[in-house]
Amino acid sequence: MISIFPKSILIFLTLLFFSAKATYYEWEKQVELIPTDGNEFYYFGFSSYLAKNYCIIGAYKATINNISDQGKAYIYQNNGTNWNYLQEISPQNSNVSEFFASCVAINNDFAFVGASQATVNNNTFQGKVYVFKNNGSYWNQSQNLIASDGKSNDNFGLSIAVYNDVLIVGSPQSTVGNNSEQGKVYVFKNNGTYWNELQILIASDGNPNDNFGASVAIYNDVLIVGSPQAAVGNNSEQGKVYVFKNNGTYWNQQQILVSSDGQQDDTFGTSVGIEKNYSIIGAFGATVDENFAQGKAYIFQNNGTYWNQQQILIASDGESSDNFGVSSAISNGVVIIGAYNAAVGKYMSQGKAYIFQSDGIYWNQLQIISPNDTLYGELFGTSVSISENYIVVGAPDASLGNTLYVGKAYIFQGFPEPNQVNIENCTSLYSSFECYWDQIGDLSTISYQINYHYYEENWIDINSPSLNGSILYEIFDSLNYPNIIGNVEYSIQIRACNISTNFCGAASLPWNLTTRIDSVKDLQLNPNQYYINISWSQPDVPVINLIPKLDHYVISYFNQSQTNLINNISVSNSSTSYQLNNLESLTLYSISIWACQTENCSGNEQGEIISQTTSTVFGPVTNFTCSTSNIYNLSCSWKPPTNSQLPNYYNFTIQSSQLNDYQNYSINSTILNTTLLYSNIDYTITIKGCNNETGCGIISTIELKTTQLNASNINSWETGIEQIKLNISSVEFAKGYQITLNEGNEWKNFSQINSSGNNIYGEINNIAGNIEYNVEVRACSETSCNSILSGKPSNNITMKARLGYVEEFNCVGIIEGFECNWNELNLASGLNGYSLSYYMSKECLANDTTYFEVDDDLEGGVEYSVSIQAVTTTDCFPDEYSGPITTIKVTTQKKTVSNSSKNKGGIIAASIIVPLFVIALVIGIVFYIKKRESKRRGYKELNLKNVKEPIFDDFLDSNDATENQKLV
Ligand SMILES: *[C@@H]1O[C@H](CO)[C@@H](O)[C@H](O)[C@H]1NC(C)=O
Ligand SMILES: *[C@@H]1O[C@H](CO)[C@@H](O)[C@H](O)[C@H]1NC(C)=O
Ligand SMILES: *[C@@H]1O[C@H](CO)[C@@H](O)[C@H](O)[C@H]1NC(C)=O
Ligand SMILES: *[C@@H]1O[C@H](CO)[C@@H](O)[C@H](O)[C@H]1NC(C)=O
């Protein structure tokens, strides 16, 4: 790579361009000064002057004792934080209007107040300067300064400047020779007590109406005088500024300054200011582009001998007639320029002021200040003054409420940008780093921010730096900070910020460092009898892998009782586990691991060490056996492990994942008998030797399945009404039995029966009759059986139950007949129909029938027996699975005999009505009967009318007898 500039030149250029930092970051309005006794037409702020902690504001038209335009001045003092009103001053023994305070100046010892229209020795408007002396707490008038050669209308005191023991006073309307209003400047010198006129300055090339002395400024041995009405060549009122230099005693004109781009009516020199080797000169009538009287200001720089125009300052938002440059002041790299006629928004002539700041080469507009009042014509910027970090701006035409033109003055405070921080040192820790830097200023006003990044940038407050001249700050991983990751190159910058304004200074030059690699994560040690398994996961490495350096890991370990290193082992960077072999059993080891960024791995390349201690453990027990004597008894025994020491105790567990069962025993003996097992279950039984120092050792495991209970047999079974009864054989060790029915394809755990001696009886109740079931029985090792715990299945037998009773069978007698209702048979999936018998008849009814009626066929007024039975066959011939018979009695009604001859000769109307009623009744009954007619399935009518009992089937009778009998 070719470097064009040598490094030293680059550094020089860097210093040249960036070391001369702007002085202030922002100016903020601190206070508005208002005259305590202000009244209309005071024009407070027409003149103003700031010097260190004193500020003087003139109100040149203040009325005193009914004398208008006499004028007053007000002195304010800054006590460090506030500007407090101190006193007002006015001329003693004056009872005429004299425009006292049309110009003001102050320093620590004296206040100077120009009264430019004061009458002197009957010379009206000759002007005076009043001198007030500070006695420490009060300012007293000490002297009146009058021009030695003063005349009427001189306006002596219209401009004033002071520097140490030299005071200069402009008298711009003075006549020089025959040149009226050419202007003069008077130099006064203080002899310790009094100010004495030293010299009268006159322009070398003065002309009438030049107004030489309209503005004056002084710094050290240079004073400048504005002559704004002076013509330059053919340009009338272009303006000139005269530079005078002191030769030890006197001041001699050294140079005449004119603007490089001057034009007619510029009035260059309207205002002037000087400090060190810079001078500011306002030209408030200057046209900028097309904007007439927008105004300009000029910076002149002294090169050691002469003053040269350096830069033209123009308001960024200037408009016609703003009169930028009507006032100006300079201090310490900052200039302030008034533009008193500028509009602020819609408020015409409210006025603005512009702050420019030097970056060492150029003067840049930093800020525009203006009142935030809603007033027209305030003329903010009529006067300006600056001293250190305060600016005062007068707005003499500001009204207070309805009181017109009282005037205001605004004080603005400049907030400097904190200096650039210099980082002394930053050092890498693992997942953190620490930095030292030079403290900037007072921590009560300054805070710090840090920015560290490798791919993201943001500034973070440093909340609690310690205070020791230099500051240590360590950033740890925490919720509030982005994680610092090991093994990453960070660029660190620190800056100081002003706590009250939040203005931050320039960032320090970046300090680059690579953090050391983090510790491994998730370190786990799994000890065995003679070895230890180590596992871990990789340390955090950067997401954006700028310097991915994870070369290998080092595992270091030693026997703790001997405290000497056994070995350092190098492990590949892709490994995440390692086994330390050939260890002694029951011995404490300390194991450390760290990641290395390089092959040699020293110093900063060595990652953070993480260490753990563990002990090798007991070996497995020996001769471990387990057996079950019956399924409820487990016996295990073992011998101690082959270590030199015996375990203090054994940790024994029995668990079954099938039963979700876990039992743990801590025992001293080498035998364990327990009785908590179930049949047909897989158990895992473990044992390990333990002591309190090294914990438990290697596990020995036995897997064991307990015996399944033997099958129980179904010895016999009988059918019942919706019921099956079983007789089964008992099984050794069984605690319960379980019956399962296979309905379709699925075996259902239907019911459970308990043992009683060797014979076990069981019932399966509430099952559908005439349906084939496969029935199985199992013994169980618990009273509450389930399929896991049950024994082997029994023989599998197909069984059937009888159909049940016909429920809610009810018959009522009707004329020479009866009608019956019943509920459809529950669980009737094996039902084929109903057999209903009465007298000599037997009806075979379909299986969805629930109604039967016989009408007009039987003898009236006779009690009949009616029987019903659910049957399995379609021809109603009952078999062994048909239901039991239900019989009830019903009495038929007699037919009513009607003798029609008895009614002959009766009312004709009735004979007509009755037949109609009868016809309707007959139709209704027929319809009713048709609707409810039973579904007969073919039946035989025996037609034996004199027999009242129904015919019973012999087979059914015998079956009914066994209905509630227990199986034998
Ligand atoms: C400065 O003046 C203000 C207002 O008058 C007052 O509150 C403050 O205490 C003073 N500060 C000092 C340091 O005197
Ligand atoms: C000022 O004028 C008055 C009257 O014209 C005269 O009496 C007085 O002496 C004059 N004063 C001076 C100082 O000339
Ligand atoms: C200072 O000047 C005054 C008046 O001009 C004079 O009276 C005084 O003697 C002078 N003092 C010194 C120390 O020169
Ligand atoms: C200073 O200037 C004055 C007047 O301009 C002159 O008389 C005097 O000789 C000068 N002094 C020196 C030391 O040059």
Side-chain angles (χ1 to χ4, degrees):
M1 187 182 141
I2 297 162
S3 163
I4 297 169
F5 293 107
K7 203 170 186 182
S8 58
I9 290 180
L10 279 176
I11 289 168
F12 170 74
L13 287 173
T14 305
L15 288 175
L16 189 63
F17 283 100
F18 300 110
S19 65
K21 280 297 301 170
T23 314
Y24 292 99
Y25 190 80
E26 190 171 73
W27 293 76
E28 287 188 350
K29 186 174 85 179
Q30 194 198 23
V31 65
E32 290 182 15
L33 303 178
I34 295 165
T36 46
D37 57 349
N39 218 324
E40 278 191 332
F41 303 110
Y42 262 43
Y43 295 107
F44 173 89
F46 179 82
S47 59
S48 59
Y49 199 100
L50 254 179
K52 299 209 167 141
N53 45 352
Y54 288 109
C55 177
I56 181 167
I57 312 285
Y60 78 115
K61 285 202 159 199
T63 298
I64 299 176
N65 300 329
N66 292 327
I67 301 166
S68 65
D69 299 348
Q70 193 183 27
K72 266 191 206 183
Y74 299 78
I75 296 177
Y76 299 84
Q77 187 173 20
N78 188 315
N79 70 359
T81 54
N82 290 64
W83 288 92
N84 294 318
Y85 169 71
L86 201 61
Q87 76 182 85
E88 64 169 54
I89 52 177
S90 53
Q92 282 175 6
N93 309 320
S94 171
N95 51 12
V96 290
S97 22
E98 50 184 39
F99 284 16
F100 175 89
S102 50
C103 186
V104 289
I106 199 166
N107 65 21
N108 205 42
D109 303 315
F110 294 100
F112 306 94
V113 180
S116 58
Q117 302 214 352
T119 301
V120 179
N121 298 330
N122 288 346
N123 294 340
T124 53
F125 305 151
Q126 179 183 320
K128 275 187 203 172
V129 169
Y130 291 89
V131 181
F132 293 81
K133 191 158 175 25
N134 184 0
N135 71 5
S137 56
Y138 206 80
W139 301 71
N140 296 302
Q141 189 177 329
S142 62
Q143 214 180 336
N144 290 338
L145 303 182
I146 299 167
S148 58
D149 58 352
K151 302 256 169 21
S152 286
N153 297 319
D154 277 358
N155 275 281
F156 173 89
L158 201 56
S159 63
I160 303 173
V162 63
Y163 185 86
N164 293 342
D165 59 352
V166 180
L167 174 74
I168 52 175
V169 179
S171 182
Q173 315 270 311
S174 291
T175 301
V176 178
N178 292 326
N179 294 345
S180 69
E181 297 190 22
Q182 178 182 322
K184 293 180 184 173
V185 166
Y186 295 80
V187 180
F188 293 84
K189 193 154 168 75
N190 187 275
N191 72 359
T193 318
Y194 287 100
W195 296 85
N196 297 309
E197 189 182 302
L198 175 76
Q199 202 179 346
I200 301 174
L201 306 180
I202 296 168
S204 60
D205 59 351
N207 286 305
N209 299 318
D210 274 1
N211 272 286
F212 173 89
S215 60
V216 290
I218 178 170
Y219 180 83
N220 204 12
D221 61 348
V222 179
L223 70 83
I224 56 176
V225 179
S227 185
Q229 259 78 26
V232 177
N234 292 328
N235 292 343
S236 64
E237 300 194 12
Q238 180 181 321
K240 292 180 183 173
V241 171
Y242 294 80
V243 179
F244 292 84
K245 193 154 165 78
N246 190 276
N247 71 0
T249 315
Y250 291 104
W251 300 82
N252 296 308
Q253 185 182 319
Q254 187 200 20
Q255 200 180 340
I256 300 174
L257 309 181
V258 290
S259 58
S260 60
D261 59 349
Q263 292 175 351
Q264 186 176 315
D265 296 327
D266 278 0
T267 57
F268 173 83
T270 319
S271 60
V272 292
I274 183 171
E275 191 188 58
K276 297 177 186 154
N277 52 338
Y278 288 103
S279 173
I280 176 79
I281 298 167
F284 87 144
T287 298
V288 177
D289 299 327
E290 305 284 284
N291 291 344
F292 174 74
Q294 179 180 320
K296 293 180 184 173
Y298 296 80
I299 297 281
F300 279 74
Q301 188 178 16
N302 187 278
N303 65 4
T305 315
Y306 289 103
W307 294 83
N308 299 307
Q309 182 182 316
Q310 187 206 7
Q311 198 179 337
I312 303 174
L313 307 183
I314 294 172
S316 60
D317 59 350
E319 289 174 13
S320 289
S321 302
D322 279 0
N323 293 131
F324 173 87
V326 67
S327 57
S328 61
I330 183 169
S331 174
N332 198 26
V334 178
V335 300
I336 170 126
I337 298 164
Y340 72 159
N341 209 26
V344 178
K346 67 177 183 180
Y347 302 104
M348 306 300 294
S349 301
Q350 197 179 45
K352 292 178 182 172
Y354 295 79
I355 297 168
F356 287 76
Q357 187 160 259
S358 169
D359 63 10
I361 296 175
Y362 292 107
W363 295 77
N364 303 301
Q365 183 181 313
L366 174 71
Q367 204 176 334
I368 302 172
I369 55 178
S370 60
N372 48 10
D373 295 336
T374 51
L375 288 175
Y376 289 93
E378 199 166 316
L379 297 185
F380 174 91
T382 299
S383 61
V384 295
S385 181
I386 179 170
S387 175
E388 297 179 347
N389 58 330
Y390 289 103
I391 285 172
V392 63
V393 181
D397 285 25
S399 299
L400 298 179
N402 293 328
T403 314
L404 299 177
Y405 308 129
V406 181
K408 286 187 196 173
Y410 298 80
I411 292 185
F412 290 80
Q413 187 179 6
F415 291 95
E417 202 169 76
N419 289 340
Q420 187 177 27
V421 171
N422 174 45
I423 296 181
E424 285 180 359
N425 191 24
C426 287
T427 48
S428 150
L429 302 174
Y430 299 100
S431 51
S432 64
F433 49 74
E434 62 182 14
C435 292
Y436 293 85
W437 63 89
D438 297 331
Q439 191 180 321
I440 304 282
D442 178 0
L443 277 178
S444 65
T445 59
I446 291 290
S447 66
Y448 292 93
Q449 293 185 333
I450 192 164
N451 168 14
Y452 54 92
H453 61 94
Y454 66 97
Y455 67 98
E456 271 180 352
E457 297 189 29
N458 55 340
W459 288 94
I460 296 164
D461 288 327
I462 299 175
N463 292 320
S464 51
S466 60
L467 268 167
N468 278 321
S470 63
I471 292 167
L472 160 68
Y473 191 70
E474 208 177 320
I475 292 184
F476 299 100
D477 292 3
S478 84
L479 285 179
N480 298 327
Y481 296 99
N483 279 358
I484 308 281
I485 304 173
N487 200 17
V488 165
E489 185 176 8
Y490 283 96
S491 179
I492 301 164
Q493 286 180 291
I494 295 169
R495 67 185 182 189
C497 301
N498 185 306
I499 287 171
S500 57
T501 62
N502 291 326
F503 304 149
C504 296
S508 67
L509 295 177
W511 188 288
N512 295 327
L513 61 75
T514 300
T515 49
R516 294 172 68 172
I517 198 163
D518 276 350
S519 63
V520 303
K521 297 192 297 186
D522 312 321
L523 176 62
Q524 284 194 349
L525 305 181
N526 294 306
N528 211 291
Q529 190 173 9
Y530 299 112
Y531 61 88
I532 296 171
N533 273 323
I534 306 170
S535 68
W536 65 91
S537 55
Q538 184 181 278
D540 283 328
V541 294
V543 180
I544 296 173
N545 223 344
L546 298 175
I547 41 160
K549 292 285 194 308
L550 175 51
D551 192 80
H552 64 283
Y553 299 99
V554 174
I555 294 170
S556 170
Y557 66 105
F558 61 89
N559 178 328
Q560 269 222 314
S561 60
Q562 295 165 10
T563 67
N564 51 339
L565 180 71
I566 299 170
N567 205 354
N568 272 346
I569 296 156
S570 178
V571 182
S572 145
N573 65 357
S574 59
S575 304
T576 56
S577 66
Y578 188 80
Q579 183 170 309
L580 291 181
N581 287 313
N582 301 320
L583 305 180
E584 291 171 37
S585 71
L586 299 175
T587 303
L588 205 56
Y589 288 91
S590 183
I591 296 162
S592 301
I593 180 167
W594 60 89
C596 285
Q597 285 168 275
T598 59
E599 196 183 330
N600 293 327
C601 192
S602 62
N604 281 353
E605 294 147 359
Q606 184 177 318
E608 184 172 12
I609 296 171
I610 184 168
S611 300
Q612 277 184 24
T613 300
T614 192
S615 173
T616 45
V617 296
F618 285 106
V621 299
T622 51
N623 295 357
F624 182 34
T625 58
C626 287
S627 64
T628 48
S629 57
N630 62 50
I631 63 162
Y632 303 113
N633 291 323
L634 173 72
S635 296
C636 294
S637 69
W638 58 90
K639 297 224 153 46
T642 57
N643 297 74
S644 50
Q645 297 172 34
L646 287 179
N648 295 136
Y649 64 96
Y650 295 93
N651 189 303
F652 186 93
T653 67
I654 304 170
Q655 62 181 313
S656 157
S657 54
Q658 284 168 292
L659 294 181
N660 198 16
D661 183 35
Y662 178 81
Q663 297 165 48
N664 188 307
Y665 305 88
S666 191
I667 53 176
N668 295 323
S669 70
T670 55
I671 285 177
L672 184 89
N673 292 318
T674 180
T675 57
L676 290 167
L677 299 178
Y678 299 105
S679 79
N680 197 28
I681 296 296
D682 290 314
Y683 285 97
T684 301
I685 299 160
T686 67
I687 179 112
K688 54 194 175 186
C690 308
N691 71 21
N692 293 331
E693 291 76 47
T694 63
C696 295
I698 297 161
I699 293 171
S700 300
T701 304
I702 287 178
E703 303 283 351
L704 181 141
K705 188 182 185 86
T706 50
T707 317
Q708 192 173 16
L709 291 176
N710 285 331
S712 169
N713 268 323
I714 300 171
N715 296 330
S716 61
W717 67 280
E718 286 180 33
T719 187
I721 297 170
E722 294 181 342
Q723 182 193 52
I724 295 169
K725 299 171 184 176
L726 297 176
N727 176 349
I728 61 178
S729 58
S730 69
V731 172
E732 193 184 12
F733 306 127
K735 290 183 176 171
Y737 296 86
Q738 174 190 2
I739 301 168
T740 49
L741 300 192
N742 183 321
E743 274 184 294
N745 294 320
E746 199 181 349
W747 284 95
K748 283 188 182 158
N749 182 2
F750 189 77
S751 70
Q752 174 186 321
I753 48 181
N754 291 327
S755 62
S756 165
N758 283 337
N759 287 314
I760 318 292
Y761 299 98
E763 289 178 357
I764 307 168
N765 291 313
N766 297 319
I767 54 175
N770 195 33
I771 299 288
E772 287 197 339
Y773 297 105
N774 287 320
V775 180
E776 267 184 16
V777 176
R778 286 166 196 254
C780 302
S781 54
E782 263 293 281
T783 49
S784 62
C785 287
N786 64 43
S787 55
I788 295 175
L789 298 170
S790 59
K792 293 171 185 166
S794 68
N795 49 339
N796 174 338
I797 299 178
T798 302
M799 303 181 189
K800 268 172 131 183
R802 278 182 68 188
L803 295 174
Y805 282 97
V806 175
E807 308 264 326
E808 302 284 326
F809 181 53
N810 249 313
C811 297
V812 293
I814 57 175
I815 294 168
E816 295 176 355
F818 59 85
E819 58 183 24
C820 301
N821 290 297
W822 61 94
N823 285 353
E824 208 171 346
L825 191 67
N826 269 346
L827 304 167
S829 53
L831 175 77
N832 266 314
Y834 297 95
S835 169
L836 186 137
S837 314
Y838 62 95
Y839 189 41
M840 293 300 287
S841 295
K842 184 167 184 172
E843 302 285 342
C844 187
L845 305 177
N847 60 2
D848 58 347
T849 315
T850 58
Y851 173 79
F852 176 78
E853 177 233 34
V854 50
D855 180 21
D856 224 11
D857 286 345
L858 301 177
E859 206 175 314
V862 173
E863 186 178 71
Y864 286 87
S865 284
V866 186
S867 298
I868 192 161
Q869 177 184 21
V871 293
T872 57
T873 52
T874 50
D875 59 2
C876 290
F877 188 77
D879 67 3
E880 59 189 309
Y881 298 111
S882 295
I885 293 166
T886 305
T887 303
I888 59 171
K889 309 255 189 234
V890 61
T891 304
T892 56
Q893 294 176 21
K894 283 185 179 160
K895 189 176 272 177
T896 315
V897 179
S898 90
N899 190 344
S900 60
S901 60
K902 281 185 183 170
N903 281 337
K904 274 188 178 164
I907 300 164
I908 287 187
S911 70
I912 296 167
I913 292 166
V914 168
L916 279 177
F917 170 76
V918 169
I919 289 163
L921 188 66
V922 167
I923 291 169
I925 290 167
V926 167
F927 179 74
Y928 178 70
I929 290 168
K930 282 212 176 265
K931 191 177 152 209
R932 298 188 60 200
E933 193 168 11
S934 43
K935 294 172 185 168
R936 299 182 188 185
R937 199 173 241 165
Y939 53 91
K940 28 186 183 168
E941 279 203 45
L942 302 182
N943 217 15
L944 300 171
K945 292 202 171 184
N946 292 322
V947 182
K948 316 274 187 315
E949 289 299 312
I951 298 162
F952 291 109
D953 195 303
D954 291 335
F955 177 79
L956 289 178
D957 279 336
S958 64
N959 241 10
D960 281 346
T962 63
E963 177 183 308
N964 289 314
Q965 190 184 322
K966 286 267 181 220
L967 288 173
V968 181

